[in-house]
Amino acid sequence: MRIDIITVSPELMKSPFEHSILKRAQEKGKVEIHFHDLREYAINKYGKIDDYQFGGGAGMVLMMEPIDKCLSQLMQKRKYDEVIYMTPDAPSLNQQMANSLSAKENLIILTGHYKGVDQRVRDKFVTKEVSIGDYVLSGGELAAVVLCDAVIRLIPGVLGDETSALTDSFQDNLLAPPVYTRPADYKGMKVPDILLSGNFPKIDEWRHEQALKRTRLIRPDLLEEESLDE
Ligand code: SAM
């Protein structure tokens, strides 16, 4: 997979891709990340990329021209499956979305700043809009990192068996069951006996029951979604 990220702050975004699973995914050749600094496509030599909004009101808007130039250059070189704009006024990211994006080959992620981007960018270029939740961040960079992490870890071969995504929350509309590690008894706080029993069918059954219990308690809406899917 190749991901091209358009941003006014490439430096803000780089570090998460230089560590842990995101770093290893690139080393294994599973994903290529390319940052594009919007200021390199500025409309003048002073680096202008934003302007006041028509109709008045506080806050600058990212202009159409620099984004058009950057996107057009990229789109001339290859075909993209999606041009994604990170924005709070969009459907929220979920595991289903991440699963589906993890099967794509080429993605562009556009991150906004200030009041956002000129609406005409969204109308002309953007094929998918993604929010990471009902709150407003200062810029789309951190949101794009969240999206990339959620997607990249699902690309086959990125995670080893020990961190398999298949048993994580949301994969089957359930929250994950509790997990424990050594010691089996920490100052009187004991691990449930079943996990020490070696009876794997029973352990699976227990985990499923725990997952159901947690989901009913914390996210009953997921179980409703499950019955709607059927
Ligand atoms: N005026 C916009 C609104 O009220 O919907 C908010 C603009 S926000 C200050 C600046 C940029 O941050 C947005 O263009 C978007 O790229 C990003 N952003 C902020 N909150 C976000 C969220 N919850 N999910 C995804 N991106 C977000």
Side-chain angles (χ1 to χ4, degrees):
M1 176 186 285
R2 175 185 166 113
I3 306 180
D4 288 273
I5 303 174
I6 303 172
T7 166
V8 297
S9 295
E11 293 309 317
L12 171 65
M13 297 194 69
K14 285 183 181 164
S15 163
F17 294 94
E18 290 164 0
H19 303 273
S20 185
I21 286 166
L22 296 187
K23 180 182 181 198
R24 285 209 297 279
Q26 293 169 85
E27 287 170 351
K28 286 182 183 173
K30 300 289 179 190
V31 67
E32 274 179 41
I33 307 290
H34 297 268
F35 294 102
H36 304 277
D37 186 343
L38 199 55
R39 287 202 194 275
E40 288 172 15
Y41 301 84
I43 63 158
N44 62 21
K45 63 179 182 192
Y46 305 107
K48 187 174 176 63
I49 53 172
D50 56 1
D51 213 330
Y52 295 101
Q53 49 175 318
F54 280 123
M60 303 299 274
V61 176
L62 288 176
M63 301 170 88
M64 178 101 183
E65 187 179 327
I67 299 174
D68 182 3
K69 279 201 259 176
C70 180
L71 282 173
S72 302
Q73 212 178 76
L74 286 172
M75 288 157 101
Q76 259 169 26
K77 291 191 187 138
R78 66 195 64 76
K79 192 174 156 13
Y80 285 90
D81 298 294
E82 300 281 8
V83 177
I84 300 169
Y85 175 48
M86 303 309 302
T87 181
D89 58 345
S92 277
L93 175 62
N94 60 25
Q95 195 64 23
Q96 227 175 329
M97 250 188 235
N99 280 335
S100 136
L101 288 173
S102 72
K104 307 290 185 195
E105 254 174 56
N106 296 313
L107 299 175
I108 290 177
I109 304 180
L110 172 63
T111 65
H113 221 76
Y114 316 118
K115 282 308 255 187
V117 300
D118 187 311
Q119 179 60 37
R120 290 167 291 183
V121 170
R122 299 169 73 168
D123 297 342
K124 181 168 164 64
F125 294 109
V126 172
T127 59
K128 189 172 187 66
E129 299 192 328
V130 180
S131 163
I132 63 159
D134 290 350
Y135 43 83
V136 176
L137 303 166
S138 321
E141 287 76 16
L142 299 179
V145 171
V146 169
L147 175 64
C148 286
D149 189 317
V151 169
I152 292 169
R153 67 195 297 283
L154 296 172
I155 299 172
V158 167
L159 294 184
D161 245 12
E162 77 285 4
T163 43
S164 166
L166 294 177
T167 52
D168 283 334
S169 292
F170 309 114
Q171 283 298 1
D172 47 7
N173 275 4
L174 290 177
L175 299 183
V179 292
Y180 298 85
T181 186
R182 271 185 270 267
D185 183 340
Y186 183 73
K187 298 181 180 174
M189 294 170 75
K190 294 194 174 138
V191 169
D193 287 341
I194 183 73
L195 295 177
L196 309 175
S197 69
N199 185 338
F200 295 106
K202 283 273 175 222
I203 291 174
D204 281 349
E205 217 174 279
W206 180 86
R207 284 184 170 150
H208 185 67
E209 278 164 17
Q210 292 296 314
L212 265 176
K213 196 167 142 192
R214 269 195 171 177
T215 312
R216 269 195 207 110
L217 192 68
I218 303 167
R219 291 291 306 274
D221 55 301
L222 293 176
L223 296 170
E224 282 154 29
E225 274 171 34
E226 172 104 309
S227 56
L228 286 178
D229 290 348
E230 282 163 8

